[in-house]
C-alpha cells in the first residue's frame, strides 16, 4: 500500500490526502517516525487560508493523526499543541478532547484532563466517549458515586447512536459498584460488558 501511494505522489506531489494515507500506512506498521513525517507533510500541503470543505476535513484528520502519533511516542508538548490547534479549528471534534484528556491523565494533571472532557461535552452533549473518561477518572480518585453517575451518562448518550451496552462505560460502572459494595449492580454491569472484553471483565470480577 505504501509503494502504491508513493507512486501516486509522482502524479500528485502535494496531494494532502495521498500524504496522509502514506502516514497512516506507516503508523499501521509501527513506523511512527515516518508516519509523523508524512502527517506533517499533509498538513503543510494544505492552503494556509480559505480552505474548502474537503480541505477542512483533511486538516482535522491530519491534526488528529499527528497528535495521536506524537502522544504514542510521549512527545506530549507537541501533541498538546496540535490538538489544541484542532479544537480551536473545530470545537465540536470530540476525539481531540478525548485525546487531550488522555494525555493529561498520563501527565497526572487530572484537573486539566477533566476540564477537556467538560469542554468537549459543552460542545457536544452526546459525546459518550468523554463521559466514560470522566467515570474512569472518578474511579481512580475513589469518587465512586460520581463514577456511577458519569458511566450511566455515557451509556445513555451512547444509545442515542444505537451503541447498546457500551463496554468501557459498563466496565467503569461495574468497577464503581464493586467499590460501593453493590454486588448485584456490579455483576449486572460486568455481565453486559462481556461482549466487549471478556478477559478484562474476568480480571475485574476476580
Amino acid at each position: 500500500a505504501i509503494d502504491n501511494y508513493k507512486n501516486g505522489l509522482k502524479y500528485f506531489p502535494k496531494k494532502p490526502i495521498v500524504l496522509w494515507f502514506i502516514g497512516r500506512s506507516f503508523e499501521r506498521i509501527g513506523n511512527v517516525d515516518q508516519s509523523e513525517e508524512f502527517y506533517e507533510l499533509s498538513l503543510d500541503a494544505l492552503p494556509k487560508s480559505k480552505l474548502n470543505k474537503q480541505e477542512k476535513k483533511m486538516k482535522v484528520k491530519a491534526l488528529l493523526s499527528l497528535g495521536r502519533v506524537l502522544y504514542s511516542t510521549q512527545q506530549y508538548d507537541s501533541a498538546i499543541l496540535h490538538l489544541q490547534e484542532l479544537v480551536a479549528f473545530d470545537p465540536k471534534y470530540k476525539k481531540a478532547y478525548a485525546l487531550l484528556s488522555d494525555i493529561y491523565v498520563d501527565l497526572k494533571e487530572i484537573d486539566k484532563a477533566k476540564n477537556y472532557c467538560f469542554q468537549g461535552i459543552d460542545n457536544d452533549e452526546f459525546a459518550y466517549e468523554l463521559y466514560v473518561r470522566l467515570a474512569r477518572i472518578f474511579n481512580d480518585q475513589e469518587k465512586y458515586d460520581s463514577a456511577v453517575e458519569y458511566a450511566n451518562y455515557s451509556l445513555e448518550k451512547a444509545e442515542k447512536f444505537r451503541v447498546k451496552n457500551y463496554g468501557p462505560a459498563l466496565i467503569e460502572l461495574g468497577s464503581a459498584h464493586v467499590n460501593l459494595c453493590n454486588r448485584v449492580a456490579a455483576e449486572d454491569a460486568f455481565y453486559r460488558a462481556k461482549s466487549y472484553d471478556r478477559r478484562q471483565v474476568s480480571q475485574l470480577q476476580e
Side-chain angles (χ1 to χ4, degrees):
I2 293 172
D3 290 338
N4 289 336
Y5 287 130
K6 283 186 173 180
N7 286 333
L9 286 177
K10 296 176 184 177
Y11 305 99
F12 306 101
K14 291 188 177 181
K15 193 75 170 177
I17 189 65
V18 176
L19 293 163
W20 181 86
F21 271 117
I22 295 173
R24 184 63 172 151
S25 298
F26 275 122
E27 185 181 359
R28 284 177 171 169
I29 63 172
N31 190 332
V32 292
D33 290 336
Q34 288 289 294
S35 65
E36 180 183 338
E37 177 184 347
F38 277 93
Y39 287 148
E40 287 178 342
L41 287 171
S42 70
L43 271 176
D44 291 341
L46 288 166
K48 302 306 177 188
S49 61
K50 296 182 179 179
L51 278 66
N52 62 35
K53 187 176 180 180
Q54 289 302 115
E55 289 166 342
K56 288 178 181 179
K57 287 183 178 180
M58 188 67 254
K59 182 171 182 176
V60 168
K61 287 166 71 78
L63 283 170
L64 182 72
S65 299
L66 188 53
R68 183 178 61 241
V69 167
L70 291 166
Y71 173 40
S72 73
T73 55
Q74 298 183 344
Q75 299 179 66
Y76 297 123
D77 289 342
S78 294
I80 289 168
L81 285 174
H82 284 90
L83 293 168
Q84 287 176 334
E85 181 181 351
L86 175 49
V87 297
F89 181 74
D90 185 353
K92 292 186 177 294
Y93 199 69
K94 59 188 177 183
K95 289 182 180 179
Y97 294 101
L99 197 49
L100 280 163
S101 178
D102 292 343
I103 291 171
Y104 280 113
V105 166
D106 283 5
L107 293 172
K108 302 189 186 305
E109 296 185 44
I110 304 304
D111 286 342
K112 288 183 179 180
K114 289 195 290 189
N115 284 339
Y116 272 111
C117 287
F118 287 126
Q119 284 181 38
I121 289 167
D122 284 343
N123 284 289
D124 180 0
E125 66 173 304
F126 296 105
Y128 57 90
E129 304 94 332
L130 299 178
Y131 289 99
V132 78
R133 280 170 168 78
L134 287 167
R136 189 175 303 129
I137 289 169
F138 285 127
N139 266 330
D140 290 342
Q141 293 181 321
E142 300 182 2
K143 297 178 179 179
Y144 302 120
D145 288 326
S146 294
V148 168
E149 179 182 5
Y150 280 91
N152 280 323
Y153 283 152
S154 180
L155 290 167
E156 175 189 334
K157 305 301 182 182
E159 287 191 357
K160 299 289 185 181
F161 297 92
R162 298 183 181 178
V163 180
K164 191 174 182 180
N165 292 331
Y166 179 48
L170 288 167
I171 287 171
E172 297 306 324
L173 182 62
S175 299
H177 279 308
V178 165
N179 287 288
L180 291 169
C181 300
N182 297 332
R183 179 179 175 181
V184 174
E187 288 181 349
D188 175 69
F190 287 139
Y191 177 79
R192 291 160 59 201
K194 280 187 176 180
S195 61
Y196 170 73
D197 190 334
R198 287 182 176 274
R199 184 172 62 180
Q200 183 177 359
V201 169
S202 297
Q203 291 172 344
L204 288 167
Q205 286 180 308
E206 289 177 356

